[in-house]
Amino acid sequence: MTDRELDAAGVTDPALREAYHRCRALNARHGRTYFLATRLLPVERRPAVHALYGFARWADDIVDALGTGADTARRDAELSALQRELDQGLRDGNSTEPVVRAVADTARRYGIDHGHFADFMTAMRSDLVVTDYADYAALRRYMHGSAAVIGLQMLPVLGTVAPREAAAPHAAALGIAFQLTNFLRDVGEDLDRGRVYLPADLLAAHGAHRALLRWSRDTGRRDRRVTAALREFEALTRGVYREAAPGLAMLEPVSRPCVRAAFVLYGGILDAVARDGWSVLHRRAVVPRRRRAVVAADGLARVAAARLRARGSARHPDVRPLAPCPPVPGEVA
């Protein structure tokens, strides 16, 4: 993390600065799409986003470590230790563990509800024992803690021009949309970890099942029943993006380019999956680098426009702001 970002955020304590540096490194290494979008935020808000991502990434890495059945006990112990460290950090506003120290500081600065972190840790713990979901309702209950609360944690950092309670359902939906996208992209990798996030009833509706997914993964062969189920899951995910879209206009203008870029880039993963023939059991779909560059350039243009509008409104309250850039599909302008 650059000193400029930390200076702008008012982070002066050397140990705390190092903690935020650690979180930024986690974001840069593991969350390319998320990290790129974060670069479009005002500099003073970026450390908080890195802290929230860094903590979530750390917990997720504990859960997702591949290994034998005996590793479950080790991962459970590591999650329990992290839970204790987090509880103390949120209570005291400090921690000897750098990632927890940064996220506790962020929670204090932005008044983030501690219940969101508790719900997140509950979802992480369930991943140690739950390996599939009977239906979408069960999956959605899990995603409240694993994804929706991430959107809700972010909301105080991003800021809103509408009442926060009005924006909250859309922020939660966006977190879920992002995770559903990851589930679709990572079907094969999750299967190797012993988990299937495609609801069993959705699979069954197309004559597919867990064993068929395993066969396809192991043999490298396609099956039309699996493809049909993956297509439906993609359509379901696009529906959640439509739930989330109206929330973009409820964010503070300076935050919209960041979230819009993430919205477009994650949606682009769905496009890549479809373009690749829903072959996610055999290879990971990626957004082309050129497309990422175009979205980033568009985001920078939107950042500049937002800053111009803010300056114009401050200097000339009676002057009409610049026209907004075209919205994403379903976005409220």
Side-chain angles (χ1 to χ4, degrees), residues 76-149:
D76 182 68
E78 288 183 15
L79 277 182
S80 295
L82 178 57
Q83 180 76 68
R84 290 191 296 271
E85 194 72 37
L86 175 66
D87 291 344
Q88 181 176 347
L90 292 174
R91 183 175 60 252
D92 300 342
N94 200 354
S95 174
T96 56
E97 172 50 57
V99 174
V100 174
R101 182 169 190 164
V103 83
D105 181 69
T106 290
R108 179 187 61 79
R109 287 171 184 264
Y110 288 94
I112 298 172
D113 186 346
H114 292 183
H116 296 329
F117 297 99
D119 290 347
F120 173 76
M121 292 300 293
T122 297
M124 292 300 97
R125 191 172 295 280
S126 77
D127 262 335
L128 297 180
V129 294
V130 178
T131 61
D132 50 34
Y133 295 87
D135 52 36
Y136 182 59
L139 181 63
R140 188 104 181 194
R141 286 192 293 274
Y142 160 75
M143 289 190 296
H144 166 74
S146 64
V149 297

Side-chain angles (χ1 to χ4, degrees), residues 27 31-40 261 265 292-293 295-296:
N27 194 345
R32 292 184 303 168
T33 298
Y34 205 78
F35 184 76
L36 176 62
T38 302
R39 305 303 298 160
L40 301 175
L265 287 170
R292 290 163 57 85
V295 172

Side-chain angles (χ1 to χ4, degrees), residues 233-248:
F233 195 78
E234 180 212 337
L236 180 154
T237 303
R238 291 190 188 276
V240 182
Y241 276 97
R242 289 192 290 273
E243 289 180 40
L248 297 181

Side-chain angles (χ1 to χ4, degrees), residues 116-301:
H116 296 329
F117 297 99
D119 290 347
F120 173 76
M121 292 300 293
T122 297
M124 292 300 97
R125 191 172 295 280
S126 77
D127 262 335
L128 297 180
V129 294
V130 178
T131 61
D132 50 34
Y133 295 87
D135 52 36
Y136 182 59
L139 181 63
R140 188 104 181 194
R141 286 192 293 274
Y142 160 75
M143 289 190 296
H144 166 74
S146 64
V149 297
I150 303 299
L152 297 175
Q153 290 171 13
M154 285 283 294
L155 209 50
V157 179
L158 299 172
T160 62
V161 294
R164 191 177 296 174
E165 59 271 21
H170 303 293
L174 190 57
I176 289 172
F178 289 167
Q179 185 163 63
L180 287 170
T181 302
N182 287 339
F183 287 162
L184 182 60
R185 181 195 62 192
D186 300 338
V187 167
E189 294 171 23
D190 287 330
L191 190 61
D192 291 342
R193 296 185 180 103
R195 300 193 205 109
V196 175
Y197 291 105
L198 304 178
D201 64 343
L202 184 152
L203 289 170
H206 298 280
H209 44 77
R210 186 185 186 118
L212 186 60
L213 298 178
R214 187 71 263 171
W215 170 85
S216 180
R217 176 75 167 169
D218 291 343
T219 64
R221 296 172 64 182
R222 302 279 298 276
D223 187 284
R224 59 178 178 77
R225 294 167 292 179
V226 171
T227 299
L230 294 171
R231 290 182 69 170
E232 182 178 341
F233 195 78
E234 180 212 337
L236 180 154
T237 303
R238 291 190 188 276
V240 182
Y241 276 97
R242 289 192 290 273
E243 289 180 40
L248 297 181
M250 297 181 182
L251 300 175
E252 288 185 2
V254 292
S255 296
R256 291 175 200 165
C258 164
V259 180
R260 188 184 188 281
F263 188 107
V264 172
L265 287 170
Y266 270 92
I269 295 173
L270 297 180
D271 297 334
V273 167
R275 189 166 53 246
D276 200 31
W278 297 275
S279 298
V280 287
L281 278 167
H282 313 125
R283 54 183 174 268
R284 174 182 269 216
V286 296
V287 178
R289 184 175 298 177
R290 185 172 184 175
R291 174 61 175 158
R292 290 163 57 85
V294 168
V295 172
D298 176 73
L300 289 172

